[in-house]
Amino acid sequence: MVLFHSSIKTPRLDYILDYLFKNRLSVDYAIISELPEIENKSQLLINYSDSVLPNAWNIIPSGLLNQDRIFPQNTNFLKYTDQEPDLNDQTFDVFSAMFFHLSRYEEYLENEKDEHGRFTWKSSCISKANLLEIPFIDQWVNKIAQFIQSRIQIEVSTHFKYEVQPTMDIDSVYAYSGRSVFRNIGAMAQNLLKFNFKEIQSRLSVILLGNPDPNDNFKLQEEILGNRKMRYFVQVSDYGPYDKNIDVKHPGFKAILKKLFNSSHTIGLHPGYKSFKSSSTVLLEKLRLENAIESKITSSRQHFLRFELPHSYRILIEHHFQEDHSMGYSEVPGFRAGTACPFFWFDLEKNCSTTLKIVPFCCMDVAFKQFLKLNPEQTVAHVIKIKEKLKTLDVPFVFVFHNESLSNHRGWENWQYVFRNWISE
């Protein structure tokens, strides 16, 4: 039992203590305002106050957990380091530090947005501290688990374990098939203007000669996955500048989705580019996908990772989504919230916990190819280091791939090698 001595009891404090002791460590705790007599060696006293008590883990509060509004913070309490924290440092308010990152506090503040209206990785204080590829919250949790076990006679489990959790976004189920004559003619006209005759030849070989569509590589995926299961996020939005998928009513598209679903893979929604603040659009797309697979959809990942807090998450809750998988960056690898493990979203504006589970990822294929300009071999070498860190901390490796990335065309040649490597333990 952990006894948490504090003169305050707020929604923020309740949230972070539940996160740490219930969701991560499975340790019983109680918040107390009066100092008790420690009855036996199975009790640990955490003193969360400005005073110092003997035989207690003393932490001086930063004040963040006592607030109910959002405003710029003095973040000295974060104590950034790529090493394990010093829990004897009374000025390191680990509870406020975890809350700051898990609540995505900085994303509510005035920050530079990119051309898609997204919070940028360059604005992140984690990035500025050069710790984006370090899941430091998981380091903190492991250190606290060791500390508790050294102080009291109980077994502490950190709840999660290292495992590979592959996810895939289906932005374009086909590269060429299923498109109208006008879309195909328009695409070939653009290719002709750019003297891209190879692309024209590839398109015609599929739509006229019946050759396999390069994006339809789902049989290959099954072969690579073996007994593993994938979580797919499927885009079914209306056609637009950033939304290129075909109609989900297309027989081939529906057949692929049904086969994936019947193979016990999880199907989630990939809400379209314009949906991130539109409740009606998200609902429309959710119903489309549910009709296609004849089952309820409970998870999502935003297309282009385009979401804005708190609006996008409130929309998901409104329409009974249970999980969102957008917590990461498409330009760089790393841990946007400082952790590799799922956590529940805290609505800062309403100052309350929610039931929406946030599942972060740390690596996306396009980050390495399109933004970092790495080849497959360089990408594998980079990610091996991340995976080794996650193994040490015993937390999951969650990554994002696209079916286009396995197509062996349009610059994605040999990226099957990356997928095979990422999928391996």
Side-chain angles (χ1 to χ4, degrees), residues 64-83:
L64 180 64
L65 301 183
N66 196 30
Q67 300 164 3
D68 57 10
R69 294 181 296 111
I70 306 168
F71 47 82
Q73 296 287 325
N74 181 339
T75 55
N76 290 338
F77 64 86
L78 295 176
K79 300 284 183 179
Y80 287 116
T81 175
D82 60 354
Q83 304 300 319

Side-chain angles (χ1 to χ4, degrees), residues 155-168:
E155 188 68 27
V156 179
S157 170
T158 54
H159 188 67
F160 294 99
K161 64 179 181 178
Y162 176 79
E163 60 181 351
V164 177
Q165 297 180 8
T167 71
M168 181 163 289

Side-chain angles (χ1 to χ4, degrees), residues 232-266:
Y232 289 90
F233 294 96
V234 185
Q235 188 181 14
V236 294
S237 53
D238 294 338
Y239 181 79
Y242 298 102
D243 302 310
K244 304 294 186 180
N245 220 344
I246 63 172
D247 193 325
V248 73
K249 295 178 182 178
H250 184 278
F253 195 175
K254 286 188 69 173
I256 288 172
L257 293 181
K258 290 294 290 185
K259 186 173 182 180
L260 294 175
F261 181 75
N262 291 334
S263 298
S264 298
H265 298 292
T266 302

Side-chain angles (χ1 to χ4, degrees), residues 203-215:
R203 186 180 297 272
L204 291 176
S205 72
V206 172
I207 62 179
L208 295 183
L209 302 181
N211 287 342
D213 190 288
N215 282 10

Side-chain angles (χ1 to χ4, degrees), residues 45-90:
L45 177 62
I46 300 177
N47 174 39
Y48 194 64
S49 71
D50 293 330
S51 60
V52 176
L53 299 177
N55 301 319
W57 176 14
N58 294 287
I59 300 175
I60 299 173
S62 71
L64 180 64
L65 301 183
N66 196 30
Q67 300 164 3
D68 57 10
R69 294 181 296 111
I70 306 168
F71 47 82
Q73 296 287 325
N74 181 339
T75 55
N76 290 338
F77 64 86
L78 295 176
K79 300 284 183 179
Y80 287 116
T81 175
D82 60 354
Q83 304 300 319
E84 291 185 345
D86 180 8
L87 298 184
N88 292 316
D89 180 358
Q90 298 173 11

Side-chain angles (χ1 to χ4, degrees), residues 1-222:
M1 166 71 78
V2 170
L3 301 177
F4 193 90
H5 172 244
S6 174
S7 60
I8 65 168
K9 191 177 188 303
T10 68
R12 292 183 179 187
L13 181 63
D14 287 342
Y15 167 81
I16 205 60
L17 294 183
D18 278 350
Y19 165 78
L20 177 61
F21 295 117
K22 288 185 178 180
N23 301 339
R24 294 298 303 266
L25 301 181
S26 300
V27 171
D28 291 332
Y29 80 94
I31 300 177
I32 57 174
S33 57
E34 300 295 331
L35 286 177
E37 290 291 333
I38 302 299
E39 298 176 356
N40 53 57
K41 293 183 179 180
S42 65
Q43 291 182 335
L44 169 67
L45 177 62
I46 300 177
N47 174 39
Y48 194 64
S49 71
D50 293 330
S51 60
V52 176
L53 299 177
N55 301 319
W57 176 14
N58 294 287
I59 300 175
I60 299 173
S62 71
L64 180 64
L65 301 183
N66 196 30
Q67 300 164 3
D68 57 10
R69 294 181 296 111
I70 306 168
F71 47 82
Q73 296 287 325
N74 181 339
T75 55
N76 290 338
F77 64 86
L78 295 176
K79 300 284 183 179
Y80 287 116
T81 175
D82 60 354
Q83 304 300 319
E84 291 185 345
D86 180 8
L87 298 184
N88 292 316
D89 180 358
Q90 298 173 11
T91 65
F92 175 45
D93 184 353
V94 65
F95 301 104
S96 289
M98 286 192 291
F99 179 82
F100 181 85
H101 292 297
L102 296 178
S103 68
R104 304 309 304 130
Y105 199 105
E106 63 183 349
E107 299 196 31
Y108 288 79
L109 305 175
E110 289 295 327
N111 286 293
E112 177 187 357
K113 299 295 178 72
D114 68 8
E115 66 271 26
H116 303 292
R118 303 175 300 188
F119 176 82
T120 70
W121 66 272
K122 294 180 181 179
S123 298
S124 166
C125 52
I126 301 174
S127 175
K128 293 174 182 177
N130 295 317
L131 291 177
L132 198 54
E133 294 187 24
I134 304 294
F136 52 84
I137 285 182
D138 302 322
Q139 287 184 333
W140 296 347
V141 170
N142 281 10
K143 184 68 173 181
I144 292 170
Q146 295 168 12
F147 179 77
I148 292 175
Q149 287 184 145
S150 70
R151 294 288 295 270
I152 57 179
Q153 300 172 353
I154 62 170
E155 188 68 27
V156 179
S157 170
T158 54
H159 188 67
F160 294 99
K161 64 179 181 178
Y162 176 79
E163 60 181 351
V164 177
Q165 297 180 8
T167 71
M168 181 163 289
D169 293 347
I170 304 179
D171 299 342
S172 295
V173 65
Y174 297 125
Y176 309 118
S177 302
R179 285 156 173 77
S180 68
V181 173
F182 296 105
R183 280 186 67 178
N184 278 315
I185 291 175
M188 287 190 289
Q190 291 182 16
N191 296 148
L192 190 60
L193 290 173
K194 297 177 182 178
F195 301 101
N196 191 349
F197 301 111
K198 182 179 179 181
E199 180 69 12
I200 295 174
Q201 183 181 16
S202 297
R203 186 180 297 272
L204 291 176
S205 72
V206 172
I207 62 179
L208 295 183
L209 302 181
N211 287 342
D213 190 288
N215 282 10
D216 184 3
N217 46 63
F218 296 95
K219 184 177 180 180
L220 171 68
Q221 294 174 32
E222 290 285 347

